């Protein structure tokens, strides 16, 4: 089965102005079928207006064992947070 | 006064999608993969939803305390006027897809035309359902090509399914007496125009699918007059089981 139906990761944009968000994965034989399947599996309750699909094998992920080296050093560097700016109310979705 | 022709026509359109919706729903929980299980269930729900709209409209026309439930649950096979195609067995996935595709070829163009009906309610139902049917046609056509132009096995199964089901295609384009009368007042669309478009779509998709129509086609009909194949009785036995066992049962 896996040989014929590889796994795809599905990204859905819920409305204009928002970014695509990962919602899950499904099996399909090619990107076109993945989009149709995603429509059927992930947009049944009006969750989205746009779909992106990508074959899971094409995603390169960071290794959990690298956590210490990757993320820990940022812990004590509060000056990197842009908390000194005032955001106007009109700017949504930040 | 009840327009008998409009009532017959409303029920006939409802019966097509009710029975096909029920047939497709039989896949729920049995789909070949999860994704297709949901896809077929979605289609089934679309079809049953449209059937409800039409049965509600029929009940409104008839009055006398009729409800949408009376039509699907309290009529015997001879009173059903669905086309024979929609009651045919699910068979394997190929058989289901071919049946769906043939119906979608008719259904999409029919709804497109129905949305211009001079009857306001019919036009509304047509316009609402045509978006769903557009997706159904896209879905089934996609599978026609995938499986038809797929492996040797999938091709032969699709060719077999086409040979089994094509005999029931033509019936969809034969107007009933009521329908012919409604055509004159612009309520029912002209089936001969829909037939042209449906065949054009069918031929285009068959070519892409590397499938071909069998040389001998024996058009079957009778459903519109209540003369059904052996399968409808079994469908109704399941569909109407609760009402038959416990008459007038309500939730």
């Amino acid at each position: 089965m896996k040989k014929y139906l590889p796994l795809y990761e599905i990204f859905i944009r819920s409305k204009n102005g928002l970014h695509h968000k990962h919602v899950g994965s499904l099996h399909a034989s090619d990107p076109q079928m993945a989009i149709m399947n995603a429509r059927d599996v992930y947009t049944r309750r009006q969750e989205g207006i746009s779909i992106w699909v990508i074959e899971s094998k094409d995603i390169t992920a960071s290794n959990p064992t690298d956590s210490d080296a990757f993320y820990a050093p940022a812990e004590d560097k509060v000056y990197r947070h842009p908390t000194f700016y005032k955001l106007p109310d009109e700017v949504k979705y930040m | 006064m009840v327009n008998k022709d409009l009532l017959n026509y409303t029920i006939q359109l409802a019966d097509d999608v009710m029975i096909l919706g029920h047939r497709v729903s039989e896949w729920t929980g049995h789909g070949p993969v999860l994704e297709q299980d949901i896809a077929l269930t979605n289609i089934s729900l679309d079809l049953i939803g449209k059937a409800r709209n039409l049965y509600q409209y029929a009940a409104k026309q008839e009055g006398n305390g009729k409800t949408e439930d009376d039509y699907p649950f309290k009529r015997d096979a001879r009173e059903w006027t669905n086309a024979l195609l929609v009651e045919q067995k699910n068979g394997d996935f190929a058989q289901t897809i071919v049946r769906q595709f043939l119906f979608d070829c008719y259904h999409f163009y029919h709804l497109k035309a129905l949305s211009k009906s001079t009857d306001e309610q019919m036009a509304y139902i047509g316009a609402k359902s045509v978006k769903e049917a557009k997706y159904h046609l896209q879905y089934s056509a996609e599978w026609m090509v995938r499986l038809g132009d797929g492996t040797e096995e999938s091709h032969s199964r699709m060719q077999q399914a086409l040979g089994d089901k094509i005999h029931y295609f033509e019936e969809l384009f034969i107007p009933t007496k009521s329908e012919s009368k409604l055509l004159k007042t612009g309520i029912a669309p002209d089936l001969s125009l829909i037939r042209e478009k449906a065949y054009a779509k069918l031929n285009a998709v068959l070519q892409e699918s590397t499938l071909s129509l069998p040389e001998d086609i024996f058009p079957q009909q009778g459903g519109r007059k209540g003369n059904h194949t052996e399968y409808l009785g079994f469908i109704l036995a399941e569909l109407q089981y609760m009402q038959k066992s416990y008459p007038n049962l309500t939730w």
Side-chain angles (χ1 to χ4, degrees):
Chain A
M1 228 284 287
K2 270 189 186 143
K3 188 178 155 202
Y4 297 109
L5 292 180
L7 197 64
Y8 281 80
E9 299 299 324
I10 311 301
F11 299 81
I12 305 252
R13 183 212 290 275
S14 57
K15 46 180 152 171
N16 278 328
L18 294 188
H19 51 79
H20 286 74
K21 210 170 169 182
H22 184 238
V23 292
S25 54
L26 48 73
H27 292 279
S29 63
D30 59 36
Q32 188 52 39
M33 193 202 278
I35 285 192
M36 295 191 82
N37 286 350
R39 181 264 186 198
D40 282 319
V41 176
Y42 291 113
T43 69
R44 306 177 78 218
R45 300 177 186 90
Q46 299 183 296
E47 289 93 335
I49 54 158
S50 166
I51 300 171
W52 283 356
V53 301
I54 183 168
E55 212 179 319
S56 309
K57 74 171 170 55
D58 292 331
I59 290 180
T60 309
S62 63
N63 192 333
T65 58
D66 290 338
S67 288
D68 270 357
F70 268 42
Y71 315 116
E75 268 170 25
D76 59 353
K77 300 183 174 71
V78 287
Y79 50 86
R80 289 180 181 172
H81 291 273
T83 49
F84 308 105
Y85 297 93
K86 279 219 167 73
L87 266 189
D89 288 340
E90 296 82 56
V91 181
K92 291 174 186 161
Y93 309 128
M94 281 294 281
Chain B
M1 203 186 73
V2 179
N3 178 343
K4 252 315 197 183
D5 294 316
L6 180 59
L7 180 62
N8 288 341
Y9 185 56
T10 309
I11 293 173
Q12 164 197 332
L13 295 184
D15 286 355
D16 275 352
V17 281
M18 181 68 227
I19 296 299
L20 186 60
H22 182 79
R23 267 292 190 225
V24 178
S25 83
E26 291 171 4
W27 276 105
T28 305
H30 303 272
V33 290
L34 177 141
E35 291 81 352
Q36 295 312 315
D37 194 296
I38 293 188
L40 288 169
T41 304
N42 287 347
I43 290 176
S44 166
L45 282 169
D46 287 346
L47 296 171
I48 294 172
K50 184 191 166 203
R52 285 196 59 192
N53 286 335
L54 287 160
Y55 285 136
Q56 283 163 2
Y57 184 35
K60 202 174 133 199
Q61 290 172 51
E62 223 173 331
N64 280 334
K66 276 258 182 189
T67 76
E68 55 174 318
D69 290 334
D70 291 337
Y71 304 99
F73 294 127
K74 295 182 182 170
R75 286 182 304 150
D76 285 331
R78 285 302 304 261
E79 298 168 83
W80 284 73
T81 51
N82 59 280
L84 299 176
L85 175 70
V86 299
E87 67 199 42
Q88 299 308 304
K89 283 194 297 186
N90 281 349
D92 57 16
F93 191 66
Q95 297 271 353
T96 292
I97 288 299
V98 168
R99 184 188 62 202
Q100 190 64 40
F101 175 66
L102 291 176
F103 185 75
D104 293 341
C105 281
Y106 150 81
H107 197 211
F108 172 64
Y109 295 109
H110 184 264
L111 288 173
K112 233 175 145 179
L114 191 69
S115 66
K116 299 192 182 78
S117 170
T118 53
D119 182 85
E120 208 176 304
Q121 189 63 28
M122 278 295 177
Y124 168 77
I125 293 172
K128 183 170 178 284
S129 307
V130 74
K131 292 176 205 156
E132 296 166 347
K134 189 176 178 185
Y135 182 75
H136 301 169
L137 181 57
Q138 207 182 328
Y139 170 89
S140 58
E142 180 94 4
W143 275 110
M144 289 293 290
V145 177
R146 275 180 197 290
L147 296 175
D149 190 17
T151 64
E152 206 176 304
E153 169 84 12
S154 72
H155 177 87
S156 82
R157 283 183 186 234
M158 288 298 277
Q159 192 59 61
Q160 172 75 38
L162 186 63
D164 290 350
K165 302 282 196 272
I166 192 67
H167 313 290
Y168 301 101
F169 191 47
E170 195 59 34
E171 186 186 21
L172 296 166
F173 308 104
I174 304 171
T176 60
K177 272 186 197 151
S178 291
E179 212 168 345
S180 299
K181 281 192 217 161
L182 295 174
L183 173 61
K184 289 186 191 126
T185 49
I187 293 177
D190 187 347
L191 282 177
S192 63
L193 299 177
I194 292 162
R195 182 175 181 275
E196 267 175 46
K197 289 178 187 159
Y199 268 94
K201 179 73 183 177
L202 171 68
N203 288 326
V205 171
L206 286 188
Q207 196 177 8
E208 209 186 330
S209 313
T210 69
L211 296 167
S212 47
L213 291 175
E215 272 178 31
D216 297 318
I217 298 176
F218 307 99
Q220 303 290 310
Q221 53 172 302
R224 299 281 186 236
K225 291 194 174 118
N227 298 323
H228 292 279
T229 57
E230 64 196 277
Y231 306 119
L232 185 66
F234 291 102
I235 295 174
L236 295 183
E238 193 180 343
L239 182 67
Q240 301 176 336
Y241 170 78
M242 290 300 277
Q243 275 302 322
K244 291 240 161 97
S245 308
Y246 307 95
N248 300 320
L249 156 115
T250 52
W251 288 107

